[in-house]
C-alpha cells in the first residue's frame, strides 16, 4: 500500500457517513504526515548508506588488489564490512517477525464452546469484520485481538486471533462480554480503523529497528572478535549507526507521539462501535467493575503465592475471585445486581480530589472517566437487561476454570505434594485476613490512608471537646483528608512541570489554564492551602484523642490510651529514619542493573558498607521488636540470618558478580522494607483497635 493510496483511503473513509470526531480526523492526518516525514528521512539515510557501502566495497577491493598479502586482504574485507553492517542495520527489520507467546493460552474451537462461538458470530456480523483466525482462553482479566506481525503485514492482510481472559469472563454479564468483544473487533472493522492499524504497524517496525538489536549486536560482536582488523571497522560502523539511531530516534518520537494521540481516539471510536451494538451501559458497567475484578484476581494469586511454603494450592481460583470481589463490594457497601457488584463513576472517583489536569501525550489509552463520558454522549440505549452471567456461555465453566487454574500453577514448585484449599476454608481465611488488615468501621475510613499526626500529648491532654464520634469521623472530615492528599500529589506534579522534568507548555488546575512559567507561583499558593488543611486535620486528631480520653475515664480504664499514643508516636518517629536507610541503600544499589565499569562497581560496593552496617543493626532491632513475630516465616528468618551471620558478604570478585550473595542482600533489603512498614501498620492497628473497643463498650 503506497502512502498515496493510504491517504486516498483516509479521504474516502471520512467522506462517508461514519460518525468520526474532529479529533480523530485531525490525529489521523497528523499520524500519516509524521510517517511520510519519517519515510523521507529514512530514504535519505538509506541512500547515504548505500553510497557509503558502495565506496567501502570499492575501496576494499582496491586495497586487496593493491596490497596482495594477508594484511591487505583482511583490511579490504574489513573496509567492505563497514558499509555492509551500516546497511544491514537499516534493512534488518525486513526479516523481523513478532510472534506472541502462546504458552499461557489454551485454544478453543466451535466444537468446544458452540454458544460462545455463536455470540462471536453475531458480533462479527454486526461489527462488519471477519471471524478470528483462532480463539484462545487466557487466565487473566483481559480481552484482546492480536496477530503475528512483520514488515510485510503492512502490505498483506493478516488474520487476527481473539484472546479472552477467564478472569474477565468470571466477573461480567453476557451482554458486557458482547460489548467488550465488539470494542476489540471494532479496532479492525471499517475503513475508519484501517489507517490506525497501518500506523500501528509502521510504529512497530520503527521500534524494532531502533531498539530490538540483540541479533544485530551479536553478529557485529562475532565479526569484530574474529579479527583485530575487523574490530576497527566495526567500531567505526558502531559510531555511524549510533548517529543514525539518534536521527531516527527524533523521528520515532514524532511518529510515536502522533500515533498515541490517534490511538486514544481509536479507543473512543471502538467504544462507539460497541455502543451501537449493545448500547453504552454494558461497556460502561464493565469498565467501572474492571479495577475491582482485577484487584480480586491478583489478590487471590498473591494469597496462594503466600501459601507455597505451606504446600497449599487451589483447584479453582475463579470461584475464589468471584467470592472475594463480592465480599469486598459488600464491605464497601456497594450494591450487588444479578450476582455482580454495581459500581458508579462517583464511587470509583470518590477519593480522587485532584484538580490538576495534564494531557499526557505519551499514553495510548484515555482514562476510564473520559471513556465513560464519551460513551454516555452517544445516548444509545437498549432494552436488554443484564441478567445472564458470561460464565453461562461456556459448556462446562467449572471444568474450564479448573483447566486454566492448572495452567496458572504449572510452574510452581512445592516441597511436598500440595493440598487443595476448599472454597469454605478460603472464605474463612479471607474474613480473617480482612479483619487483620483493616480498621473498625466506627472510624468511617478516616485512618485508611492517614496516620495519627504526632502532637505534644502532655500539652494537649484533657482539652475539652463537645464533638461526638459522628462529628469527628464525618464525611466532611474524610473529604478534608483526601483534599490534603490530592493537594500533596498535585504540588508534586506541578513541581515536575516547574523543574521541566515533565515537559508541558500549559496545564489546567481547578478549571483554569496555567503556563509553565506560572507553576512556581501556584506551588507557593497550594503549599499555603495545604499547611492550613493539615493544621485543621491535626486539630481534629487532638480532639479525637481527648474524646477517647474522656471515654476511657468514664470506663475507669485510664492510662492505656496515652501509653498507646506515646508508643505509636515513638514508632512513627523511628520509621522515617529507618525507611530513609532502606531507600538510600536501594537507590545506591541501582547500578547493578546497568553496565558499569569494573572499578566503579568495586568503588560502589565499598561506599555502601556503612549503610549495610546500619541496615544490619536495624534488622536485628526489627526482629527483636516486631509486633507479631508469627508473621515472619521461616524462609524470611533464614535469609535474614544468612545476611546477618556474615560480617561482609562479597558481591563482586574477579570481574564477576556473586549472584548468590546479591540475592541474599536484595532479599534481606526488600523483606526489611516490607516488615518495617508492616510493623508500623500493626502498631497503628493496635492503637485504633483499642479506641474502637472502648467506644463500643460505651455504646
Amino acid at each position: 500500500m503506497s502512502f498515496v493510496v493510504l491517504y486516498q483511503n483516509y479521504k474516502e473513509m471520512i467522506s462517508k457517513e461514519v460518525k468520526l470526531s474532529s479529533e480523530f480526523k485531525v490525529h489521523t492526518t497528523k499520524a500519516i504526515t509524521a510517517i511520510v516525514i519519517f519515510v523521507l528521512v529514512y530514504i535519505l539515510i538509506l541512500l547515504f548508506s548505500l553510497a557509503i557501502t558502495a565506496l567501502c566495497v570499492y575501496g576494499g577491493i582496491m586495497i586487496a588488489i593493491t596490497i596482495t598479502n594477508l594484511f591487505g586482504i583482511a583490511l579490504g574485507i574489513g573496509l567492505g564490512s563497514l558499509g555492509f553492517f551500516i546497511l544491514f542495520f537499516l534493512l534488518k527489520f525486513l526479516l523481523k517477525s513478532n510472534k506472541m507467546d502462546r504458552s499461557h493460552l489454551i485454544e478453543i474451537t466451535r466444537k468446544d464452546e458452540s454458544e460462545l462461538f455463536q455470540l462471536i458470530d453475531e458480533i462479527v456480523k454486526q461489527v462488519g469484520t471477519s471471524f478470528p483466525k483462532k480463539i484462545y482462553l487466557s487466565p487473566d482479566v483481559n480481552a484482546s485481538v492480536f496477530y503475528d506481525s512483520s514488515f510485510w503485514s503492512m502490505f498483506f492482510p493478516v488474520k487476527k486471533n481473539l484472546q479472552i481472559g477467564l478472569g474477565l469472563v468470571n466477573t461480567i454479564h453476557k451482554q458486557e462480554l458482547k460489548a467488550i468483544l465488539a470494542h476489540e473487533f471494532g479496532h479492525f472493522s471499517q475503513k475508519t480503523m484501517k489507517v490506525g492499524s497501518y500506523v500501528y504497524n509502521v510504529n512497530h517496525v520503527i521500534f524494532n529497528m531502533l531498539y530490538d538489536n540483540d541479533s544485530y549486536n551479536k553478529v557485529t560482536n562475532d565479526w569484530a572478535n574474529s579479527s583485530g582488523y575487523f574490530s576497527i571497522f566495526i567500531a567505526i560502523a558502531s559510531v555511524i549507526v549510533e548517529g543514525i539511531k539518534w536521527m531516527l530516534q527524533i523521528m520515532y518520537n514524532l511518529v510515536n507521539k502522533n500515533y498515541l494521540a490517534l490511538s486514544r481516539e481509536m479507543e473512543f471510536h471502538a467504544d462507539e462501535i460497541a455502543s451501537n451494538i449493545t448500547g453504552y451501559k454494558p461497556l460502561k458497567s464493565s469498565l467501572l467493575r474492571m479495577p475491582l475484578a482485577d484487584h480480586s484476581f491478583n489478590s487471590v494469586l498473591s494469597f496462594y503465592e503466600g501459601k507455597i511454603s505451606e504446600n497449599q494450592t487451589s483447584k479453582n481460583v475463579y470461584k475464589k475471585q468471584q467470592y472475594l470481589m463480592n465480599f469486598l463490594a459488600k464491605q464497601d457497601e456497594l450494591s450487588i445486581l444479578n450476582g455482580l457488584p454495581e459500581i458508579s463513576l462517583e464511587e470509583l472517583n470518590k477519593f480522587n480530589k485532584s484538580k490538576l489536569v495534564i494531557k499526557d501525550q505519551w499514553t495510548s489509552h484515555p482514562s476510564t472517566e473520559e471513556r465513560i463520558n464519551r460513551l454516555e454522549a452517544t445516548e444509545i440505549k437498549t432494552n436488554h437487561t443484564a441478567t445472564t452471567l458470561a460464565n453461562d456461555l461456556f459448556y462446562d465453566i467449572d471444568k474450564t476454570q479448573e483447566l486454566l487454574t492448572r495452567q496458572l500453577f504449572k510452574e510452581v514448585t512445592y516441597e511436598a505434594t500440595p493440598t487443595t484449599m476448599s472454597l469454605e476454608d478460603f472464605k474463612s481465611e479471607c474474613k480473617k485476613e480482612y479483619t487483620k488488615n483493616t480498621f473498625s468501621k466506627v472510624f468511617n475510613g478516616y485512618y485508611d490512608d492517614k496516620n495519627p499526626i504526632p502532637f505534644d500529648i502532655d500539652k494537649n491532654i484533657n482539652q475539652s471537646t463537645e464533638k461526638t464520634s459522628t462529628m469527628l469521623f464525618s464525611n466532611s472530615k474524610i473529604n478534608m483528608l483526601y483534599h490534603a492528599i490530592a493537594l500533596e500529589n498535585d504540588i508534586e506534579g506541578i513541581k515536575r512541570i516547574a523543574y521541566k522534568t515533565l515537559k508541558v507548555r500549559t496545564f489546567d488546575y481547578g478549571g483554569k489554564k496555567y503556563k509553565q512559567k506560572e507553576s512556581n507561583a501556584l506551588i507557593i499558593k497550594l503549599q499555603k492551602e495545604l499547611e492550613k488543611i493539615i493544621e485543621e486535620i491535626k486539630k481534629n486528631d487532638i480532639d479525637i484523642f481527648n474524646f477517647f480520653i474522656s471515654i476511657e475515664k468514664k470506663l475507669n480504664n485510664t492510662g492505656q490510651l496515652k501509653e498507646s499514643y506515646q508508643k505509636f508516636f515513638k514508632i512513627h518517629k523511628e520509621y522515617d529514619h529507618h525507611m530513609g536507610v532502606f531507600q538510600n541503600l536501594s537507590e545506591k544499589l541501582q547500578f547493578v542493573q546497568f553496565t558499569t565499569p569494573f572499578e566503579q562497581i568495586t568503588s560502589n560496593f565499598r561506599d555502601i558498607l556503612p549503610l549495610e552496617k546500619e541496615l544490619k543493626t536495624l534488622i536485628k532491632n526489627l526482629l527483636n521488636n516486631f509486633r507479631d513475630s508469627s508473621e515472619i516465616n521461616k524462609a524470611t528468618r533464614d535469609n535474614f540470618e544468612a545476611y546477618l551471620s556474615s560480617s561482609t558478604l562479597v558481591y563482586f570478585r574477579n570481574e564477576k558478580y556473586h549472584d548468590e550473595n546479591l540475592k541474599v542482600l536484595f532479599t534481606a533489603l526488600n523483606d526489611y522494607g516490607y516488615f518495617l512498614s508492616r510493623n508500623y501498620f500493626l502498631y497503628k492497628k493496635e492503637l485504633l483497635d483499642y479506641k474502637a473497643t472502648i467506644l463500643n463498650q460505651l455504646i
Side-chain angles (χ1 to χ4, degrees):
M1 183 188 296
S2 69
F3 284 96
V4 173
V5 174
L6 175 67
Y7 195 75
Q8 285 174 342
N9 282 348
Y10 164 60
K11 295 296 289 183
E12 181 184 352
M13 82 178 184
I14 64 173
S15 67
K16 292 186 176 182
E17 291 184 8
V18 178
K19 188 176 180 181
L20 293 171
S21 68
S22 58
E23 290 88 351
F24 190 102
K25 300 173 187 176
V26 167
H27 290 305
T28 302
T29 301
K30 286 183 176 180
I32 293 173
T33 303
I35 291 175
V36 171
I37 294 172
F38 174 87
V39 170
L40 291 175
V41 172
Y42 175 79
I43 289 172
L44 290 174
I45 294 173
L46 184 60
L47 291 173
F48 173 73
S49 299
L50 285 168
I52 289 179
T53 302
L55 287 172
C56 288
V57 171
Y58 176 76
I61 293 171
M62 295 306 296
I63 290 173
I65 293 173
T66 306
I67 307 173
T68 56
N69 56 25
L70 187 61
F71 170 75
I73 295 172
L75 207 61
I77 294 174
L79 181 59
S81 69
L82 168 63
F84 170 78
F85 280 113
I86 295 171
L87 195 61
F88 177 45
F89 171 78
L90 288 169
L91 298 176
K92 64 182 174 63
F93 68 89
L94 294 173
L95 307 174
K96 181 66 179 177
S97 177
N98 297 287
K99 292 189 176 182
M100 180 176 170
D101 178 22
R102 293 170 170 79
S103 61
H104 63 297
L105 305 178
I106 294 174
E107 184 181 353
I108 55 173
T109 64
R110 190 177 295 273
K111 182 180 177 181
D112 299 322
E113 301 293 350
S114 59
E115 193 172 345
L116 175 64
F117 273 67
Q118 286 173 15
L119 177 70
I120 296 171
D121 283 333
E122 184 182 329
I123 298 169
V124 163
K125 184 177 179 181
Q126 289 178 298
V127 171
T129 188
S130 57
F131 197 88
K133 180 182 179 182
K134 292 184 178 181
I135 297 176
Y136 296 92
L137 296 180
S138 68
D140 49 10
V141 185
N142 191 23
S144 63
V145 173
F146 70 93
Y147 54 94
D148 296 331
S149 64
S150 67
F151 169 75
W152 305 107
S153 62
M154 288 189 293
F155 306 98
F156 302 102
V158 180
K159 289 279 285 182
K160 283 49 172 205
N161 302 304
L162 174 62
Q163 175 186 333
I164 304 173
L166 219 59
L168 173 68
V169 173
N170 194 42
T171 57
I172 56 176
H173 292 105
K174 176 181 174 181
Q175 197 71 355
E176 291 171 336
L177 178 61
K178 184 176 182 180
I180 291 168
L181 297 184
H183 168 96
E184 293 301 328
F185 287 130
H187 280 302
F188 301 97
S189 68
Q190 306 177 4
K191 290 183 178 180
T192 55
M193 309 309 287
K194 288 183 180 178
V195 172
S197 298
Y198 190 83
V199 174
Y200 168 80
N201 277 308
V202 172
N203 203 47
H204 208 63
V205 164
I206 298 169
F207 178 85
N208 285 337
M209 185 167 60
L210 288 177
Y211 300 107
D212 192 0
N213 292 311
D214 289 346
S215 58
Y216 174 80
N217 291 335
K218 185 179 184 305
V219 171
T220 55
N221 287 336
D222 290 345
W223 182 255
N225 291 332
S226 65
S227 169
Y229 299 118
F230 296 167
S231 64
I232 297 170
F233 294 103
I234 289 297
I236 297 171
S238 297
V239 172
I240 296 172
V241 165
E242 285 301 314
I244 293 172
K245 284 169 68 175
W246 176 78
M247 285 188 285
L248 293 180
Q249 174 73 58
I250 295 172
M251 300 310 303
Y252 173 72
N253 288 339
L254 173 67
V255 173
N256 198 38
K257 185 170 74 171
N258 284 286
Y259 162 69
L260 291 173
L262 176 59
S263 177
R264 294 190 291 272
E265 290 302 319
M266 288 167 63
E267 288 299 314
F268 290 133
H269 194 73
D271 283 349
E272 187 171 347
I273 290 173
S275 181
N276 273 277
I277 292 173
T278 64
Y280 73 82
K281 288 185 178 181
L283 188 56
K284 173 187 172 181
S285 59
S286 63
L287 284 171
L288 289 168
R289 195 183 304 114
M290 196 80 70
L292 179 58
D294 193 52
H295 171 73
S296 301
F297 183 70
N298 289 322
S299 295
V300 172
L301 296 185
S302 296
F303 173 84
Y304 278 103
E305 185 179 357
K307 294 294 181 182
I308 292 175
S309 60
E310 300 175 31
N311 295 308
Q312 286 189 309
T313 186
S314 175
K315 185 179 180 181
N316 188 334
V317 296
Y318 299 99
K319 297 290 185 188
K320 286 144 190 176
Q321 176 202 16
Q322 196 173 74
Y323 165 77
L324 182 58
M325 181 177 66
N326 287 337
F327 172 78
L328 293 174
K330 288 174 183 176
Q331 298 304 315
D332 286 340
E333 299 179 350
L334 299 174
S335 60
I336 306 292
L337 182 64
N338 297 317
L340 297 175
E342 287 291 303
I343 303 171
S344 68
L345 185 60
E346 291 72 28
E347 286 165 332
L348 190 69
N349 291 331
K350 67 179 178 179
F351 296 134
N352 181 13
K353 306 296 180 183
S354 175
K355 297 180 182 179
L356 178 63
V357 179
I358 303 171
K359 288 189 176 180
D360 187 354
Q361 60 187 352
W362 298 109
T363 183
S364 61
H365 282 64
S367 68
T368 298
E369 184 172 1
E370 289 174 319
R371 290 179 68 182
I372 288 173
N373 288 338
R374 290 280 285 264
L375 274 170
E376 290 178 335
T378 66
E379 298 183 344
I380 301 172
K381 299 179 181 179
T382 62
N383 295 324
H384 185 90
T385 304
T387 55
T388 306
L389 295 176
N391 278 338
D392 294 342
L393 286 164
F394 287 76
Y395 174 71
D396 188 341
I397 188 60
D398 289 348
K399 182 179 178 181
T400 304
Q401 288 176 340
E402 289 168 11
L403 176 62
L404 267 293
T405 298
R406 290 195 295 274
Q407 187 82 351
L408 278 168
F409 284 85
K410 70 178 181 180
E411 301 297 333
V412 179
T413 303
Y414 295 94
E415 292 182 359
T417 303
T419 58
T420 301
M421 179 182 287
S422 68
L423 179 59
E424 290 307 312
D425 285 343
F426 177 81
K427 290 179 180 180
S428 177
E429 288 261 9
C430 271
K431 291 171 183 175
K432 191 193 322 181
E433 285 293 311
Y434 183 83
T435 303
K436 187 177 180 180
N437 293 290
T438 56
F439 308 124
S440 171
K441 292 188 179 298
V442 300
F443 302 120
N444 194 28
Y446 185 82
Y447 293 107
D448 287 359
D449 294 296
K450 174 201 176 300
N451 302 312
I453 298 175
F455 56 86
D456 188 326
I457 292 176
D458 292 328
K459 185 177 178 181
N460 290 282
I461 197 168
N462 294 325
Q463 288 185 6
S464 61
T465 178
E466 297 180 357
K467 295 180 180 178
T468 63
S469 61
T470 304
M471 296 165 64
L472 293 167
F473 303 117
S474 66
N475 288 336
S476 64
K477 299 297 184 186
I478 308 301
N479 288 333
M480 180 173 65
L481 293 178
Y482 284 99
H483 186 194
I485 292 171
L487 272 174
E488 289 176 347
N489 293 333
D490 287 350
I491 289 169
E492 289 304 310
I494 298 169
K495 281 181 179 178
R496 291 175 62 206
I497 297 171
Y499 303 151
K500 297 184 179 180
T501 55
L502 180 62
K503 295 182 180 180
V504 296
R505 294 179 181 178
T506 62
F507 61 94
D508 290 347
Y509 187 82
K512 180 180 177 182
K513 188 174 288 294
Y514 290 85
K515 296 179 180 178
Q516 186 273 336
K517 63 182 180 181
E518 299 175 297
S519 52
N520 282 319
L522 181 59
I523 289 169
I524 294 171
K525 177 185 174 183
L526 296 182
Q527 283 175 333
K528 290 179 179 177
E529 184 181 344
L530 178 60
E531 288 168 6
K532 184 178 178 182
I533 294 175
I534 289 175
E535 280 302 311
E536 290 181 37
I537 295 171
K538 185 175 181 178
K539 174 65 171 63
N540 195 59
D541 276 13
I542 293 171
D543 286 342
I544 290 170
F545 170 72
N546 282 299
F547 170 77
F548 282 96
I549 285 287
S550 66
I551 292 178
E552 198 178 47
K553 286 180 178 178
K554 291 175 183 177
L555 296 172
N556 297 315
N557 188 20
T558 57
Q560 186 174 340
L561 184 67
K562 179 180 176 181
E563 183 181 331
S564 296
Y565 262 90
Q566 288 172 329
K567 187 189 299 182
F568 177 76
F569 287 166
K570 181 175 181 291
I571 293 291
H572 181 90
K573 184 178 180 180
E574 292 172 348
Y575 176 80
D576 288 339
H577 170 69
H578 297 172
M579 184 55 72
V581 174
F582 164 77
Q583 291 172 341
N584 194 8
L585 185 53
S586 298
E587 289 172 7
K588 287 185 179 295
L589 286 167
Q590 291 296 311
F591 71 90
V592 300
Q593 302 178 33
F594 306 101
T595 303
T596 309
F598 297 147
E599 299 81 5
Q600 188 63 49
I601 293 173
T602 303
S603 175
N604 288 344
F605 279 124
R606 192 185 306 118
D607 290 342
I608 68 168
L609 285 175
L611 277 174
E612 272 204 274
K613 184 177 179 181
E614 186 173 5
L615 176 66
K616 288 181 178 181
T617 301
L618 294 176
I619 290 174
K620 290 176 184 176
N621 291 337
L622 182 66
L623 290 172
N624 292 331
N625 298 292
F626 196 74
R627 185 65 190 82
D628 185 356
S629 58
S630 65
E631 289 198 7
I632 306 179
N633 60 31
K634 184 179 182 300
T636 302
R637 287 188 180 276
D638 287 347
N639 192 78
F640 276 144
E641 223 20 74
Y643 181 62
L644 296 173
S645 61
S646 175
S647 57
T648 306
L649 288 172
V650 177
Y651 305 118
F652 186 75
R653 178 179 286 171
N654 298 328
E655 299 183 350
K656 288 184 179 179
Y657 282 116
H658 195 308
D659 291 335
E660 283 301 314
N661 286 351
L662 278 174
K663 182 180 178 182
V664 170
L665 168 62
F666 279 106
T667 303
L669 182 62
N670 292 331
D671 284 347
Y672 173 73
Y674 169 76
F675 284 107
L676 178 65
S677 297
R678 184 63 182 166
N679 198 46
Y680 183 94
F681 172 85
L682 291 174
Y683 275 102
K684 173 182 173 181
K685 182 166 173 59
E686 180 183 46
L687 170 62
L688 298 184
D689 283 351
Y690 175 68
K691 289 160 70 172
T693 299
I694 62 175
L695 180 60
N696 289 330
Q697 285 177 0
L698 184 67
I699 296 172

